[in-house]
Amino acid sequence: MKTKKIILTYLVLSVNISFAEPILKKEDKPLVTQTQEDTAKANAELEKYYAKLKYPPGFYEGAFLISFMGGGTLAPSGSFISHEKNYDSTLQYKVVRKEVSQDYYPQSSIRNDEAGLYFKPTYTPGVASQFDFEYGWKEKIGLGFTVMQNSMKAKRQDVIPGLSYYKEYVDPVPRERTIYRGNSMSFLATYHPIPKNFFDPYLVARAGVVSFTGEAHSGTTHDRFVYSNQITSGIGSIVGVGAGLNIYLGRYFGIKAEVDYYREFLKADQFSMRTLNSYQAMVGVFVNLSNVQYRLEQY
């Protein structure tokens, strides 16, 4: 009896094992196939959408940089500036010779045989600000556009327009005036000789349009028919070249510095065509939106 029970138990166990092996194999195969398909799909998605984002910090094809810089305008020149300085020289001559009135001074302060009171003018460049939007068209070439604002102030005497039609009165002391404030939008093209690097030097060229306001004179002497020296309908074109350096502090952002030379061709109701040349030194920060977007999509 014991022998029969042992034999029967052995047969039951053998049947169970033989049925269990194919079931396990059938269950295992789909799991392995599913894992491989998921991995292949994930790799394909990364290759399709993030192929250009696998590079280290630096400029590359597909990068999208937004930057903000601020600084100052240096050594302004051109016919716009020279014309205003010629106006100041002519006015100084007229003040000294008392061809314009300074009746507001006490009679005892200026004798008839003394020259009129004149103060030398000063021209001071204002603060400049600039936004750049740059896309990596090629590995070393970027395209985009720039929005910029710059200004220039002068502390000077001038004939007070509209005070008297028959008699010219000049300011008793110099007053600060904004003689130029320009807003420009221009296309930019950059060349990055060392892409995919923490230190990213580049060359840049820009060309676009500019609108401007300020104060200017149509001639070298005051026009008695003019009630205001305010510039109206100021418009023109702007071209520039420069060099800069992007320093990446990580994959997503960094600091930058740039030096540019700009030449503007200006026209307004007060004059037909004048030029304004200037150098600009700027510093600022930038963000690589391509890598920021990639970072956000990882969460």
Side-chain angles (χ1 to χ4, degrees):
M1 289 296 292
K2 289 183 180 180
T3 304
K4 288 182 180 181
K5 286 183 180 180
I6 293 172
I7 293 173
L8 184 59
T9 303
Y10 176 76
L11 290 174
V12 171
L13 289 173
S14 300
V15 172
N16 288 338
I17 292 172
S18 63
F19 278 102
E21 286 180 352
I23 292 172
L24 289 173
K25 289 180 181 179
K26 288 180 182 179
E27 291 177 352
D28 288 343
K29 283 183 180 180
L31 290 174
V32 174
T33 305
Q34 185 177 1
T35 302
Q36 292 175 348
E37 288 178 355
D38 289 344
T39 302
K41 185 177 180 180
N43 291 337
E45 291 294 327
L46 288 173
E47 184 66 24
K48 180 179 179 181
Y49 294 106
Y50 310 134
K52 296 182 177 63
L53 304 175
K54 296 184 295 184
Y55 302 126
F59 189 82
Y60 53 84
E61 181 180 350
F64 182 38
L65 307 181
I66 292 182
S67 62
F68 169 75
M69 292 186 291
T73 303
L74 309 174
S77 62
S79 60
F80 183 88
I81 298 297
S82 62
H83 183 276
E84 293 303 302
K85 290 184 176 180
N86 289 337
Y87 176 89
D88 289 334
S89 297
T90 302
L91 181 61
Q92 178 180 4
Y93 177 81
K94 295 175 69 175
V95 171
V96 171
R97 291 178 60 87
K98 294 186 177 180
E99 295 180 13
V100 293
S101 179
Q102 293 182 314
D103 293 345
Y104 33 73
Y105 288 116
Q107 295 297 322
S108 59
S109 63
I110 303 177
R111 297 199 306 266
N112 291 331
D113 58 342
E114 290 182 342
L117 297 179
Y118 185 84
F119 300 89
K120 291 183 178 180
T122 58
Y123 288 78
T124 306
V127 175
S129 58
Q130 179 174 303
F131 285 93
D132 281 347
F133 302 82
E134 180 184 0
Y135 176 74
W137 180 54
K138 299 292 184 181
E139 185 182 35
K140 296 183 179 181
I141 300 176
L143 299 176
F145 63 94
T146 296
V147 178
M148 182 180 68
Q149 181 182 88
N150 60 328
S151 63
M152 187 178 307
K153 297 181 181 296
K155 201 167 186 178
R156 64 200 293 202
Q157 288 173 283
D158 200 354
V159 174
I160 304 173
L163 185 62
S164 173
Y165 180 81
Y166 299 100
K167 198 172 187 180
E168 293 181 339
Y169 287 85
V170 71
D171 291 320
V173 293
R175 291 192 296 119
E176 187 175 78
R177 298 169 166 87
T178 298
I179 63 172
Y180 175 85
R181 182 182 300 278
N183 299 281
S184 65
M185 177 175 287
S186 55
F187 294 102
L188 69 82
T190 58
Y191 175 69
H192 300 255
I194 312 175
K196 307 174 190 176
N197 196 291
F198 279 96
F199 295 93
D200 174 30
Y202 63 90
L203 301 175
V204 59
R206 295 182 175 90
V209 295
V210 58
S211 64
F212 65 98
T213 59
E215 288 191 15
H217 305 85
S218 56
T220 56
T221 59
H222 175 69
D223 184 357
R224 67 174 61 189
F225 298 99
V226 173
Y227 185 77
S228 172
N229 295 322
Q230 189 74 20
I231 293 174
T232 55
S233 304
I235 195 169
S237 59
I238 181 172
V239 294
V241 293
L245 174 65
N246 293 330
I247 302 177
Y248 287 77
L249 302 179
R251 186 180 176 89
Y252 314 104
F253 64 93
I255 59 176
K256 67 184 305 174
E258 186 175 308
V259 177
D260 302 285
Y261 168 76
Y262 287 104
R263 184 174 178 85
E264 301 177 44
F265 302 88
L266 309 174
K267 62 182 298 184
D269 292 340
Q270 286 74 17
F271 50 84
S272 57
M273 181 60 67
R274 292 177 189 171
T275 59
L276 179 61
N277 311 320
S278 61
Y279 294 91
Q280 289 189 0
M282 314 277 280
V283 294
V285 295
F286 68 89
V287 176
N288 186 341
L289 287 186
S290 296
N291 283 345
V292 171
Q293 179 186 3
Y294 171 71
R295 176 73 175 182
L296 293 175
E297 291 180 353
Q298 299 308 297
Y299 291 103

